Amino acid sequence: MKAITRSVYGPPRVLGLAEVPEPELGDGEVRLRVHAAGVDQGVWHMLTGIPYVMRLGIGPRRPRSPWLGADVAGEVTAVGAGVTAFKPGDRVFGTCGAAYAEHACARADRLAPMPANLSYEQAAAIPTSGMTALRALRDSGRVRRGQRVLITGAGGGVGTFAVQLAKTFGAHVTGVCSGAKEELVRSIGADDVIDYTREDFTDGSRPAFDLIVDIAGLRPLTHLRRALTPRGTYVIVGGEGGGRWFAGLDRQLRTALYGPFTRKRPRMFFAFPREADLLTLAELAGNGSITPVVSATYPLERVPEAIRELEKGHARGKLVITV
């Protein structure tokens, strides 16, 4: 089969399309014929080995695994011992360890049935970004009906899910994005949109927010606190500052340190895959409460181009690989 491989850390040009054997099916696993795979910031981090602290787990000098791609949607072709939830022919989506390939194996508890109303491309856009947005709002932010919620990076992969989910939870949603994405952010349900190139939402000119979900990861934490109500909450989702050693983890760590010294509630979290979250997202996508925003698709051989486009930071919604 064809698969995208890499042997060293580096930019997208280190990736290659190779002929490799089909993956071996293990106990509790499902083999898929991959139809689509999502592109998210985590892929870039795994490719480059940045932040360096990640290399403690994925390989200090070179990656232990040559494979890339986490979010996947496809058709089940075989099931391993102990798997009863799926059978060959089922359409599923979720996460795995090597989605940029014609075939992939995934743990059965990292998959969910695909909603009938979604394409493979739409389904592949959901897992990582959808779970991140869901847990930022529901678990860390504890969003409630009627709250004023502000979402930075509202036009991106996580942001487009966060806007829709916040509306589903009954919040009044303000999205922060560039002017080029304003129409998109309004079209997915935002009650108000702030063009960050023209307006500073932390300058006190707007009513304070009950919850801020900061996805863009660029503003100082002190600025975010200025825009909150006295007992408001802000949730830090990733971030690309902080240098090569810690990158976005730097903001997460500082958020934890600030916590005991402020009445405003800072929250940090890591969105590890959970079957229950996938099932929740599948239900919401199936009933039309959320709709994945896919701005562009790329064939398997153009994975490096897709990652370069993601790296620019201007993608509207999600980029997806078709296989």
Side-chain angles (χ1 to χ4, degrees):
M1 70 170 189
K2 294 180 180 179
I4 292 291
T5 64
R6 49 85 185 257
S7 58
V8 296
Y9 295 120
R13 57 183 164 78
V14 308
L15 297 175
L17 186 63
E19 285 284 348
V20 298
E22 287 191 13
E24 295 184 6
L25 186 62
D27 293 349
E29 289 187 336
V30 169
R31 185 184 295 135
L32 306 176
R33 168 67 175 93
V34 178
H35 286 275
V39 182
D40 64 83
Q41 200 65 39
V43 171
W44 182 87
H45 288 298
M46 293 294 290
L47 171 63
T48 60
I50 298 173
Y52 293 151
V53 69
M54 285 177 45
R55 300 190 185 188
L56 295 174
I58 64 175
R61 292 184 174 275
R62 61 180 62 248
R64 294 191 180 98
S65 171
W67 316 113
L68 279 177
D71 293 354
V72 67
E75 181 180 343
V76 175
T77 58
V79 299
V83 175
T84 58
F86 302 108
K87 63 183 185 303
D90 287 347
R91 291 172 13 121
V92 298
F93 76 110
T95 61
C96 67
Y100 297 162
E102 292 179 319
H103 299 269
C105 288
R107 285 173 47 179
D109 61 357
R110 294 291 185 266
L111 299 172
M114 265 181 57
N117 60 323
L118 295 188
S119 66
Y120 284 114
E121 291 79 11
Q122 289 175 309
I126 293 176
T128 297
S129 294
M131 284 191 284
T132 300
L134 178 65
R135 294 175 69 178
L137 286 159
R138 183 195 63 192
D139 301 349
S140 296
R142 299 175 186 174
V143 63
R144 299 188 302 277
R145 182 171 296 277
Q147 283 189 321
R148 287 177 50 80
V149 176
L150 180 135
I151 297 166
T152 71
V158 177
T160 49
F161 284 109
V163 168
Q164 295 178 78
L165 287 168
K167 288 301 296 179
T168 298
F169 292 137
H172 180 281
V173 180
T174 298
V176 180
C177 61
S178 66
K181 298 180 183 180
E182 179 175 352
E183 184 178 349
L184 166 64
V185 174
R186 289 191 186 279
S187 73
I188 57 176
D191 300 287
D192 195 9
V193 178
I194 296 174
D195 180 349
Y196 69 83
T197 67
R198 297 187 176 187
E199 182 180 349
D200 181 1
F201 66 85
T202 69
D203 63 6
S205 61
R206 289 175 174 264
F209 296 93
D210 301 295
L211 170 63
I212 294 176
V213 178
D214 182 43
I215 302 167
L218 298 175
R219 289 190 173 274
L221 302 180
T222 52
H223 290 195
L224 296 180
R225 293 201 295 271
R226 290 204 307 251
L228 285 170
T229 59
R231 298 293 291 175
T233 300
Y234 60 101
V235 180
I236 303 301
V237 180
E240 302 309 318
R244 289 179 172 266
W245 275 99
F246 291 100
L249 294 176
D250 174 72
R251 301 183 85 238
Q252 299 272 22
L253 294 173
R254 284 187 287 118
T255 298
L257 291 174
Y258 283 143
F261 306 103
T262 176
R263 293 176 61 201
K264 297 174 182 181
R265 296 182 286 261
R267 298 284 188 267
M268 58 175 285
F269 76 102
F270 299 97
F272 297 110
R274 295 194 308 200
E275 183 181 21
D277 293 337
L278 272 178
L279 292 171
T280 296
L281 292 166
E283 180 181 358
L284 292 171
N287 65 28
S289 296
I290 61 172
T291 301
V293 177
V294 178
S295 62
T297 61
Y298 298 78
L300 187 60
E301 61 269 20
R302 291 174 58 193
V303 164
E305 182 181 338
I307 297 176
R308 285 194 294 269
E309 184 63 26
L310 176 76
E311 191 177 2
K312 294 176 184 177
H314 303 310
R316 296 160 57 91
K318 294 287 294 184
L319 305 176
V320 173
I321 306 302
T322 56
V323 183

